[in-house]
Amino acid sequence: MASVDGDRPFPPGDYDVVVVGSGPGGLQTSYELRALGIRHAVVSADDAPGGMFRRFPVFERLITWTKPDAPFERGTREYEWFDHNSLLAQEPECRALVPEQMDRTFDVPSREEMEAGLAAFAERARLQIRYGCRWESTRREEDGFTLVTSDGEYRCRAAVFAIGVTEPWKAPIPGAELASHYVETGDPEQYRGRSVFIVGKRNSGFEVASGLLAWAARIVLASPRPVDTTKLGRLPVRARYLQPLDEYGRGGASAYVVDATIERIERREGGFRVVAHGTTWPGDLFFEVDDVLIATGFRTPFLDLTELGLATVADGRIPALTRFFESVSLPGVYFAGNASQGYSGLRKQGLGSNSSSVNGFRYNARVLARHLAETRFGQRLERPVLERDQVLPYLLRELAVAPELWVQKGYLARVVSFDGEIRDEGIVPLEQFVDHGGPNAVAVAVEMSRDAEIHPAVYIRSQSRLLEAALPPHPTRSFDSEAHRRELATLLDLVG
Amino acid sequence: MTGSAELVDVLGRLSLFADFSRPELQAVAHAVDEEMFGEGQRVLRQGLTGGGFFIILEGNASIHVDGEARWTLGPGDFFGETSLLTGGTPTADVVATSLLRCAVVPGPEFEGFLLARPRFLYRLLQAEADRLRNALAWRQ
């Protein structure tokens, strides 16, 4: 498919799609586009696959689990739920590659193991990538875009940016420029006996705090939003980094976890003074510390896309996207990988997606590729025919084990249509089913109640009317139980 | 609008937050999510569970009841509170009629958001009272 320039694929020229990036989002997108026969180029400024995992996390240990052994055999679709880090493939030799790399010190891979798993995927899937080719600017054309790169110009009808959310971002706090960002955290030894103030109470803040617990004399974690640990399923911080909270909860003065806006950071002789204003308690606090680390996250490196009209959310850090991961304001520009979190889904009960991690965005990439194939390149993808008596056991099984539904709760759904023939419409964004209309059909999803209880949900579209039913939870999440079978059977009778 | 500094400014101009100091506005800016919807996208769905409390920051939306457009909303207007307060499902669709930027309080957090901010609650009640009075006047 690719023309070759020396030993480098994808020379500048015209392509249907150009994918920018060779992290997990770019790799998965290219794999899916190739599987659908869509002519595309992949360009990357890096010189090897892996994206952010070539450098991060700082403390070299991921927060997303992979259980090398699980109730389902490695390499099966059901196993994907237990392996949140491997990319997806049809070929057995390309599946579940991260657990192969793991030494089982933990049930989450090290950074190095993750990078090796991604490199193994690129190699075994024989993905072609033009490395060392930096996207530098963008021009809008009548029928698409031109991406200007360090190697020349790439014209395309659609561009998929899998560029991560990788540019260090500091919250706009007076004096933040005096402090280091998370990415500049040095060896933990250099914080020995020091007092360290960390701005941010999400994953990177807690990761750094955990990493420094054994070295620093005192750690303060502060940000406006409280950490609510009562509902683990909804917790924005992975429990594996909650050690600082444990230390704070037990008392003493070595760790503080404070809910406060940071008013300003001032340089003082030999250190810093931080002024904080309480959000869940009244009053101000003043901290004299040796170091300040800003762990308020990252932004998508948009280059000139915002000047072309790309709308963003979250302090300009994330692209605002449709349910098919296209910019809401710049048609033809799509995002894959971590930035696909810019589509937040229905957010029923406030529940967010897993689109900011590999486990979620690997499925988004598949949805995106299918969407591009059908809406931009005239393909009609196969929708397997089901017999009527297959539908009930099929949907029950999906509810019980489908990794797409379990990872992307209330976000992706399995849809079966009843339009003369009964057809499996595949995995689609739940919002598409709810809002788009169409023939009689059923969608099943896994959702979470406001009390963080996981339960199956069924949506029935019959004569253009939509019915929603929450099925009961189950203590062992056996959503294919007899009780669920009965309820789903009754609902299916409504549709055909 | 590109930063939380700007979000604070936008919130500060809304009558709902008229009594808030800057630090209080900063805390609000961190307690809400920012969401953006494309033209034609549904924001709230009549009869379906879920939803949240939405305050329009930029753009416009229309309210549809049983498929019929009833009202238009613009910057500073809010919606979604009725179903959250009554525990029911939304009584109308809300559809973006332009690019629409909203501050959103997720449904499960709405009660806590209100109870922590009595001055906001009072302003919200004032706005609801206005709506009720207008609705009654319209009926007469």
Side-chain angles (χ1 to χ4, degrees):
Chain A
M1 185 165 50
S3 33
V4 172
D5 155 35
D7 59 350
R8 296 174 78 209
F10 307 130
D14 284 11
Y15 296 87
D16 285 340
V17 178
V18 173
V19 178
V20 181
S22 56
L27 299 180
Q28 190 71 61
T29 304
S30 178
Y31 179 91
E32 302 298 339
L33 290 173
R34 187 181 67 183
L36 296 171
I38 297 175
R39 210 175 66 89
H40 68 284
V42 186
V43 300
S44 170
D46 291 340
D47 53 19
M52 68 160 272
F53 294 107
R54 303 178 71 226
R55 289 193 294 153
F56 301 119
V58 164
F59 283 88
E60 299 277 333
R61 186 62 63 178
L62 272 62
I63 51 176
T64 44
W65 75 334
T66 286
K67 280 180 69 61
D69 280 290
F72 294 95
E73 199 180 329
R74 235 190 250 184
T76 59
R77 177 174 169 239
E78 292 85 347
Y79 176 75
E80 289 167 18
W81 165 252
F82 303 91
D83 175 12
H84 284 194
N85 299 296
S86 297
L87 296 177
L88 310 172
Q90 297 300 321
E91 306 82 355
E93 69 274 16
C94 299
R95 296 172 145 215
L97 298 187
V98 172
E100 276 184 23
Q101 317 291 332
M102 290 169 64
D103 67 6
R104 300 196 190 222
T105 310
F106 296 96
D107 64 348
V108 292
S110 68
R111 185 205 60 74
E112 207 173 354
E113 291 165 348
M114 180 66 178
E115 185 186 3
L118 294 169
F121 182 85
E123 188 188 335
R124 291 195 208 171
R126 296 190 175 81
L127 292 178
Q128 299 203 66
I129 295 152
R130 189 177 185 88
Y131 292 111
C133 177
R134 181 178 293 278
W135 160 56
E136 291 175 337
S137 66
T138 319
R139 277 203 316 273
R140 209 170 174 166
E141 309 287 357
E142 211 166 276
D143 57 347
F145 293 88
T146 294
L147 305 190
V148 180
T149 73
S150 52
D151 285 357
E153 297 196 348
Y154 289 78
R155 282 181 55 87
C156 57
R157 290 164 66 187
V160 181
F161 293 94
I163 49 182
V165 181
T166 49
E167 196 172 290
W169 181 81
K170 290 179 176 176
I173 298 165
E177 69 282 359
L178 304 171
S180 306
H181 188 270
Y182 159 83
V183 300
E184 299 162 315
T185 308
D187 288 337
E189 288 173 47
Q190 76 185 55
Y191 299 92
R192 182 178 194 145
R194 293 172 78 85
S195 182
V196 184
F197 190 99
I198 299 167
V199 182
K201 295 207 299 283
R202 306 279 285 227
N203 284 314
S204 58
F206 269 99
E207 181 208 335
V208 171
S210 296
L212 299 184
L213 273 184
W215 295 96
R218 173 181 289 165
I219 288 172
V220 184
L221 273 157
S223 71
R225 274 200 193 200
V227 177
D228 176 7
T229 56
T230 57
K231 292 166 187 160
L232 272 184
R234 288 177 170 276
L235 191 60
V237 181
R238 293 294 174 123
R240 71 172 275 108
Y241 285 136
L242 289 183
Q243 201 64 32
L245 196 63
D246 181 89
E247 197 165 313
Y248 174 54
R250 288 173 202 289
S254 58
Y256 298 132
V257 180
V258 180
D259 303 331
T261 55
I262 312 306
E263 299 298 304
R264 61 186 183 277
I265 299 163
E266 297 164 355
R267 179 89 74 187
R268 285 295 161 94
E269 198 175 337
F272 300 88
R273 181 171 191 263
V274 182
V275 181
H277 183 83
T279 54
T280 56
W281 47 275
D284 296 319
L285 283 175
F286 305 90
F287 295 94
E288 305 285 342
V289 296
D290 300 311
D291 304 283
V292 178
L293 290 168
I294 311 273
T296 50
F298 295 81
R299 69 189 293 270
T300 311
F302 292 120
L303 294 192
D304 55 358
L305 293 178
T306 42
E307 289 146 42
L308 293 182
L310 184 93
T312 60
V313 291
D315 299 316
R317 297 187 298 121
I318 305 291
L321 303 179
T322 70
R323 54 187 175 258
F324 290 108
F325 311 104
E326 186 173 16
S327 162
V328 297
S329 59
L330 196 54
V333 165
Y334 296 81
F335 285 83
N338 194 343
S340 68
Q341 66 179 286
Y343 168 60
S344 52
L346 296 179
R347 299 205 66 205
K348 285 178 65 174
Q349 310 301 343
L351 185 66
S353 71
N354 271 318
S355 297
S356 61
S357 46
V358 174
N359 61 341
F361 68 60
R362 59 189 179 180
Y363 300 116
N364 296 353
R366 193 174 269 176
V367 168
L368 168 58
R370 289 174 63 90
H371 177 73
L372 286 172
E374 292 207 323
T375 59
R376 288 196 170 259
F377 302 108
Q379 291 191 31
R380 175 72 184 165
L381 301 176
E382 194 198 344
R383 288 159 167 76
V385 173
L386 297 172
E387 297 300 325
R388 179 64 179 83
D389 60 2
Q390 291 179 304
V391 176
L392 179 60
Y394 178 59
L395 293 180
L396 282 171
R397 177 85 184 154
E398 286 291 288
L399 284 171
V401 297
E404 300 91 336
L405 309 188
W406 275 83
V407 170
Q408 292 288 47
K409 292 185 183 72
Y411 191 86
L412 295 180
R414 168 68 66 180
V415 175
V416 171
S417 64
F418 294 69
D419 190 15
E421 285 179 312
I422 301 173
R423 288 185 179 273
D424 181 0
E425 299 284 330
I427 296 289
V428 300
L430 179 57
E431 184 185 340
Q432 173 72 4
F433 182 83
V434 165
D435 286 351
H436 191 259
N440 284 8
V442 56
V444 295
V446 174
E447 297 189 351
M448 195 180 270
S449 72
R450 63 182 296 163
D451 298 322
E453 193 152 44
I454 300 168
H455 66 87
V458 182
Y459 296 80
I460 299 287
R461 188 167 63 219
S462 177
Q463 300 236 300
S464 304
R465 291 184 68 87
L466 195 69
L467 172 78
E468 171 193 16
L471 269 47
H474 189 281
T476 60
R477 279 73 180 266
S478 302
F479 295 164
D480 49 0
S481 75
E482 193 46 42
H484 292 93
R485 177 180 300 275
R486 278 197 304 273
E487 283 205 37
L488 184 55
T490 306
L491 289 165
L492 284 176
D493 285 342
L494 300 172
V495 74
Chain B
M1 193 163 62
T2 56
S4 58
E6 286 91 335
L7 179 57
V8 168
D9 293 335
V10 176
L11 291 171
R13 287 195 288 271
L14 304 181
S15 57
L16 284 172
F17 298 105
D19 312 305
F20 279 52
S21 66
R22 195 161 178 87
E24 286 171 328
L25 287 170
Q26 278 170 346
V28 170
H30 285 279
V32 300
D33 296 325
E34 192 188 352
E35 282 198 60
M36 192 139 192
F37 303 89
E39 185 178 341
Q41 197 176 349
R42 276 212 289 182
V43 182
L44 211 60
R45 294 164 182 82
Q46 183 178 358
L48 285 189
T49 61
F53 176 67
F54 294 79
I55 304 167
I56 297 179
L57 303 173
E58 286 174 31
N60 295 288
S62 62
I63 296 180
H64 298 249
V65 180
D66 299 327
E68 191 185 320
R70 296 284 181 89
W71 300 279
T72 301
L73 302 174
D77 290 334
F78 57 87
F79 55 91
E81 77 288 359
T82 311
S83 57
L84 297 177
L85 290 169
T86 60
T89 56
T91 51
D93 276 344
V94 177
V95 181
T97 52
S98 68
L99 269 185
L100 179 73
R101 187 187 297 275
C102 295
V104 189
V105 182
E109 294 169 27
F110 187 54
E111 184 179 348
F113 186 90
L114 290 181
L115 296 180
R117 295 172 181 82
R119 294 304 302 175
F120 171 82
L121 183 56
Y122 180 75
R123 293 281 181 175
L124 187 74
L125 274 174
Q126 275 188 322
E128 298 288 5
D130 264 346
R131 283 183 182 179
L132 185 61
R133 188 169 57 186
N134 290 339
L136 291 172
W138 184 78
R139 280 192 185 181
Q140 287 160 4

